[in-house]
Structure formats: structure tokens, C-alpha cells
Amino acid sequence: MTAMQPIRAKRFHADARVTMSHGGGGRATSELIASVFAPHFANPLLEQGHDAARLDRPAGRIVVSTDGHVISPLFFPGGDIGSLAVHGTLNDVAMGGAQPIALTAAFVIEEGFPLADLERIAASMGEAARRAGVPIATGDTKVVERGKGDGVFITTTGIGVVPDGVEIGPDRLAAGQAILLSGTLGDHGVAIMSQRQGLEFETTITSDSAALHHMVADMVAAVPGIALLRDPTRGGLSSTLNELVEGTRLGVLIEEAAIPVKGEVASACELLGLDPLHIANEGKLVCICEEADAQTLLAIMRTHGEGTDAARIGTVTAEEPGFVRMTTAIGGTRIVDWLSGEQLPRIC
């Protein structure tokens, strides 16, 4: 991996496009980095100018997570692939109870991609990182031939530190624990669908893409004994809960009436024949905790913009192990299965 050290900035024409020489490692690559990425990512770690960034080693245990982002379209209501690449990986780190300290970013760019769009993505990514308080420490840029990619793919890796005494993981699940959800389901997936060719429809829904680590820090500080945190991205809430109890002696019972879903999201899902439980989210988390801590954690989540609509949605049970059940709004009970197949490809 090559550190993104600026050599000399150069302004590109508004209609300029990425060429194979931008990925060749020579002058054109340096000019691309200096003009497009360095102004938006600038921070002391990048300014070290080495192939690898040196980070101070903080107290606590290191957490690392990586994620590839191949979303289509690249720009959508409420965000774009740049901010999404920051938020998605920061949230994966935060789900371990950790506070992220640095990110890496690797770009695969298709020949012919507009440089103006690439700079728009870099600006969004830099702004998301600054707002999160997490620097992009190093990165890489590759260019593939025209027709061998689809615009831009971004892979980000996050490094974080989890405090001693915090042991969040699936092995800590137990019957009787409460299941909390930080907000409304399906906003991200519906926002993406509203921009998809052939699916375009009128909606004011925007993606929920957001970094959750500040909220998680407050939650962990108040309740270090949180059993589990998980962000319900691809596969939505249904796959997240099924993954947790599959092969265990535990089950899950959730309440349909308690699960927050915006009216427009529910209408869009009804129109398209989709279940909000299967739709991807990019700024929500599931928290499983002891019943006695549930109200404390809900109160903390609701003090953050990302957790305004937080709700208690269910319970971990000893009944029907391996299954997720839902009490429906009309009083019945049904099994909530995994998402079958690929309902919405390239959603994140």
C-alpha cells in the first residue's frame, strides 16, 4: 500500500476523466492524488509521507474491520459512496464496543470515470471523516480498463480501541435479554431504490447513512455489560437476528408493532412487494442487553440524532431455539426467516 502524499496539485478541466496513466504510479498518479484526494483527506498521519502510517498505540485492545463498497448508484438521497465508505467501516468497528482511531481507503477506478465526480466523492469522504473525528491515515489508488469496473469501488479498513472490561459478542447472549433498535428500518434501502433505473419513484426518504461510534461510546460508558451490538446492513434486521441465534439454544421474539418504520418506507415496500425487515440500513444498530439496562440505554440513544426513534423491539428467549419469531400487529405469530437470495444487489 502506498501512502497518499501530495506532490503537486494540478487543476483538471471540468470534463476531464480518469485515464490508465492515473493508475500507473507515475506523475499522473501523483497529480491525481495531489489534486483530488490530498486536499480533502489532509491530516497529520497522511503528512508523514511514508508507505505506512505510524499511529500511537493507545491503551486497550485493538479492533480491526474492513469493508468493500460497490453501491449503485454512486450518489443517492442522503449520501454517496464516499461518505458511506467512511460510515460503514466506522460502524463495524463501533459494533465491537470500540472507538475508531484511523481509517484506510483503497480506490478501484474505471478508466473514463469523470474526475469531477471522483473529487465530489473524495470531498464527501473527507467531510465524513472529519465530522467523525477519525483521520484517513493511508490509502491506495488503482485504475482498471474501461468496461472492467463500474465507476468507483472503495474499500475502507478501520482501526479502533475497545476499553478493558468491555466484552461484546454473540457468546454473551442469554435468554431474557432485551433487544433494542436505534431507529427506523429501511431508510437506506428505499433511498437507493428510489434512484435505481427502472424503479424510480417519488419519495422524500433519505439514506440513514451515519457514523454511530459517538453514540456507542456513551452507551458503553453507561453500561459496559452490553451483550451485543450489531448494525443491520445487508439482509436487514431479519438476517441480523437469524445470524445471532442460528445453531444456538436461543430464539428471538420481536413485536411488529414496536418496530419503527417510516410511513413512506412502509408504502414503498408495499408497492415493491418488499419486507422492511429485509431492507438494508446504514445508520442503525441493534443492541442486546440485560432487561434492567434497557431503559438506560434507550434514554442514551435518544439523546443522539441517530437514536431519536430508538425502541425496545423484543426479547431473547429459550423457546423455539434457532428461530426468529414475530408477534404480528393483529395478534398472531410468524417466523421471520433469512433474506432469501439477493433482494437488492449493490445496496452498500
Side-chain angles (χ1 to χ4, degrees), residues 63 89 95 113 143 156 158 166 205 245 269 271 280 292 294 299 307 313-314:
V63 172
T89 295
M95 294 308 104
F113 188 72
V143 178
T156 45
V166 174
I205 293 294
V245 297
C269 288
L271 175 69
I313 63 167

Side-chain angles (χ1 to χ4, degrees), residues 71 84 188-189 192-193 196 234 280 282 344-348:
I71 192 167
L84 181 71
H188 177 70
I192 297 299
M193 281 188 287
R196 284 274 176 89
R234 283 184 303 169
E282 283 295 341
L344 295 170
R346 298 186 57 184
I347 203 79
C348 56

Side-chain angles (χ1 to χ4, degrees), residues 10-311:
K10 173 185 176 182
R11 291 306 307 166
F12 293 98
H13 295 296
D15 58 350
R17 294 178 177 271
V18 172
T19 67
M20 292 303 297
S21 63
H22 286 127
R27 180 179 297 277
T29 301
S30 295
E31 289 175 348
L32 178 74
I33 293 170
S35 302
V36 174
F37 296 111
H40 301 293
F41 293 0
N43 64 71
L45 293 177
L46 275 181
E47 290 165 6
Q48 291 175 3
H50 296 292
D51 281 351
R54 294 190 305 269
L55 280 69
D56 293 334
R57 186 174 61 187
R61 292 156 294 160
I62 296 294
V63 172
V64 178
S65 183
T66 193
D67 200 358
H69 302 273
V70 296
I71 192 167
S72 177
L74 298 174
F75 303 95
F76 49 84
D80 55 69
I81 190 172
S83 56
L84 181 71
V86 171
H87 296 155
T89 295
L90 292 182
N91 290 346
D92 286 343
V93 171
M95 294 308 104
Q99 284 302 292
I101 58 173
L103 283 167
T104 73
F107 293 79
V108 177
I109 311 166
E110 183 182 10
E111 179 187 15
F113 188 72
L115 278 165
D117 285 350
L118 186 61
E119 182 164 23
R120 183 179 167 191
I121 291 168
S124 173
M125 201 168 178
E127 174 61 24
R130 280 190 295 277
R131 188 173 298 175
V134 182
I136 297 173
T138 189
D140 191 31
T141 303
K142 294 290 191 301
V143 178
V144 297
E145 295 89 344
R146 193 184 302 268
K148 298 293 180 63
D150 190 9
V152 175
F153 300 148
I154 303 176
T155 297
T156 45
T157 297
I159 302 169
V161 178
V162 62
D164 292 334
V166 174
E167 302 289 348
I168 292 173
D171 59 317
R172 297 196 56 238
L173 295 185
Q177 291 173 335
I179 303 172
L180 315 180
L181 179 64
S182 65
T184 53
L185 286 184
D187 299 12
H188 177 70
V190 168
I192 297 299
M193 281 188 287
S194 72
Q195 299 295 299
R196 284 274 176 89
Q197 189 172 11
L199 285 176
E200 291 180 355
F201 54 89
E202 293 290 334
T203 179
T204 59
I205 293 294
T206 58
S207 170
D208 59 356
S209 179
L212 302 176
H213 58 290
H214 296 305
M215 182 169 70
V216 168
D218 288 346
M219 295 168 65
V220 169
V223 183
I226 290 173
L228 188 84
L229 295 170
R230 189 68 60 88
D231 53 342
T233 54
R234 283 184 303 169
L237 180 66
S238 60
S239 292
T240 296
L241 296 178
N242 273 286
E243 181 182 353
L244 294 179
V245 297
E246 185 183 44
T248 74
R249 295 181 178 180
L250 298 170
V252 160
L253 179 63
I254 56 177
E255 301 173 32
E256 184 176 24
I259 298 173
V261 179
K262 291 177 179 171
E264 281 195 74
V265 170
S267 297
C269 288
E270 186 174 351
L271 175 69
L272 299 171
L274 302 175
D275 188 337
L277 298 178
H278 294 327
I279 304 294
N281 314 274
E282 283 295 341
K284 302 296 178 346
L285 65 80
V286 174
C287 172
I288 300 181
C289 63
E290 298 304 323
E291 184 64 52
D293 296 322
Q295 290 305 315
T296 298
L297 289 167
L298 284 172
I300 291 170
M301 283 191 273
R302 289 168 182 160
T303 66
H304 291 262
E306 298 82 14
T308 302
D309 298 313

